[in-house]
Amino acid sequence: MTTPDAKADLLRYLQDARDALLWKLDGLCEYDIRRPLTPTGTNLLGLVKHTAGVELGYFGDTFGRPYFAENPPPWWYTQDAEPEADMWATPDESREDIAGLYRRAWEHAGGTIAALPLEATGRVPWWPEERRETTLHHVLVRV
């Protein structure tokens, strides 16, 4: 019997979900990945963009490792973005651009996860002040 490794288990499940999300784009044409599926304009490619932003925010900014330290994109939460702007792909954002950003988000998150113990604390800037402090464990479960 092997010794349980909670961090490795959480990371394995996270990677399974990441891979499954990108797999949903396989074989779909540009129209299908960009077609709005909700009244807010959300589309499949936008969900990948949103998820990249979620990982960059939670595993980056929360733990003092911002990915967009300079020149964040217009849809980033620190900008005066249109509501839900991270939920759809703009015409100038290609499938490769967004999938690439998502994979870079995995690498950035991986650096945070490798460097910190599960008990490490961080602050989520967009949460209400009284709940901003959290742990890496909580963030891994949430994401």
Side-chain angles (χ1 to χ4, degrees):
M1 183 173 193
T2 60
T3 305
D5 183 345
K7 188 190 286 189
D9 289 343
L10 290 166
L11 192 52
R12 180 172 46 88
Y13 283 107
L14 177 59
Q15 190 59 53
D16 287 348
R18 290 166 166 165
D19 292 337
L21 181 58
L22 284 183
W23 172 69
K24 303 297 182 195
L25 301 177
D26 285 353
L28 295 178
C29 67
E30 283 297 305
Y31 174 79
D32 287 338
I33 65 171
R34 293 175 180 279
R35 182 170 48 109
L37 299 170
T38 69
T40 62
T42 301
N43 58 41
L44 290 174
L45 195 54
L47 289 175
V48 175
K49 179 179 169 181
H50 172 74
T51 307
V54 166
E55 288 207 31
L56 292 171
Y58 277 118
F59 295 116
D61 295 34
T62 295
F63 294 98
R65 299 185 68 242
Y67 183 81
F68 296 119
E70 296 178 21
N71 302 320
W75 54 267
W76 191 241
Y77 79 95
T78 59
Q79 302 299 302
D80 190 20
E82 183 176 340
E84 311 297 328
D86 65 333
M87 299 297 279
W88 64 82
T90 63
D92 61 325
E93 294 173 315
S94 71
R95 177 191 312 233
E96 293 76 21
D97 291 340
I98 291 176
L101 175 64
Y102 191 30
R103 287 185 178 98
R104 289 189 302 279
W106 302 353
E107 292 174 19
H108 194 73
T112 300
I113 295 164
L116 299 174
L118 289 175
E119 301 79 26
T121 58
R123 291 183 53 79
V124 182
W126 54 91
W127 285 1
E129 184 64 40
E130 68 277 4
R131 295 187 312 123
R132 283 192 180 159
E133 193 165 301
T134 191
T135 63
L136 177 61
H137 182 263
H138 181 87
V139 168
L140 268 165
V141 169
R142 177 179 283 269
V143 173

